[in-house]
Amino acid sequence: KPSVSILLPANREARETTSLYGGVGIGQSLAYDLNKSGVPLKATLGTFVRRNIHEYTSTNEGSSNTQYMFTNFLRGDLQISEKISFITKGTVYSGLTYSDSWRSKFEIFEEIGYQINDTFAVALGHVNTESTLKSDMTSSNVEFFNNNTSSIYVDLNVAY
């Protein structure tokens, strides 16, 4: 399904450090529900591009701001039982700066959820986000878990 997005900076750091005014993006995602085949899995593939708008082409610390952001992801949603679900998602972000250099990072996300009742749900998850390349700019930095960049969380969801 196609999408259009508008980015408005909500935090002071984005406005002051990078002079970000906002951004405009478009994207496309394709979802395939295997539930029709008897497998309780939904797979989604998506790609998005966003044009950022800054007052200045570089941050107040001297690094070049990201002018274009390209995002690609693959997500899987598995309904294990009526109450238990598992979600996993891999995302690659690639940014082109105003100085025509590329930046990229990856994000790996997993979450297992339990629907307690119609009102409450709880989830345990892990996310790792880091630069795609190591500091030598040639070796892959993509890994499932890293002591410095991974986060493990517990989420309580209340719907009323």
Side-chain angles (χ1 to χ4, degrees):
K1 70 180 183 181
S3 66
V4 176
S5 64
I6 295 174
L7 170 72
L8 299 173
N11 66 53
R12 186 175 11 181
E13 182 183 359
R15 292 187 310 270
E16 292 177 358
T17 305
T18 68
S19 72
L20 179 65
Y21 285 143
V24 181
I26 58 169
Q28 179 69 35
S29 63
L30 175 66
Y32 186 71
D33 193 347
L34 295 167
N35 215 5
K36 300 170 188 172
S37 316
V39 180
L41 176 67
K42 179 179 176 185
T44 307
L45 177 66
T47 186
F48 300 90
V49 62
R50 182 180 72 228
R51 167 65 162 91
N52 293 323
I53 302 163
H54 296 87
E55 181 178 2
Y56 304 109
T57 59
S58 60
T59 68
N60 61 9
E61 297 165 348
S63 64
S64 186
N65 279 320
T66 303
Q67 184 175 18
Y68 293 97
M69 178 62 73
F70 304 91
T71 305
N72 296 291
F73 73 87
L74 178 61
R75 175 180 169 142
D77 294 69
L78 178 64
Q79 194 65 43
I80 298 170
S81 72
E82 187 177 305
K83 293 187 175 268
I84 300 172
S85 61
F86 179 75
I87 302 169
T88 186
K89 183 178 177 184
T91 307
V92 175
Y93 303 93
S94 300
L96 180 62
T97 68
Y98 287 95
S99 62
D100 292 330
S101 62
W102 286 94
R103 297 179 181 149
S104 67
K105 68 179 180 177
F106 72 92
E107 181 176 86
I108 297 172
F109 164 87
E110 318 77 38
E111 181 179 279
I112 188 157
Y114 180 74
Q115 187 71 40
I116 299 168
N117 55 37
D118 289 343
T119 305
F120 296 100
V122 66
L124 174 65
H126 162 261
V127 63
N128 185 18
T129 304
E130 183 60 84
S131 175
T132 305
L133 297 175
K134 292 184 178 180
S135 58
D136 65 10
M137 300 306 286
T138 57
S139 303
S140 174
N141 197 37
V142 177
E143 53 190 348
F144 175 75
F145 186 84
N146 181 297
N147 285 333
N148 298 318
T149 58
S150 287
S151 297
I152 296 173
Y153 64 89
V154 175
D155 181 39
L156 176 63
N157 190 340
V158 180
Y160 56 94

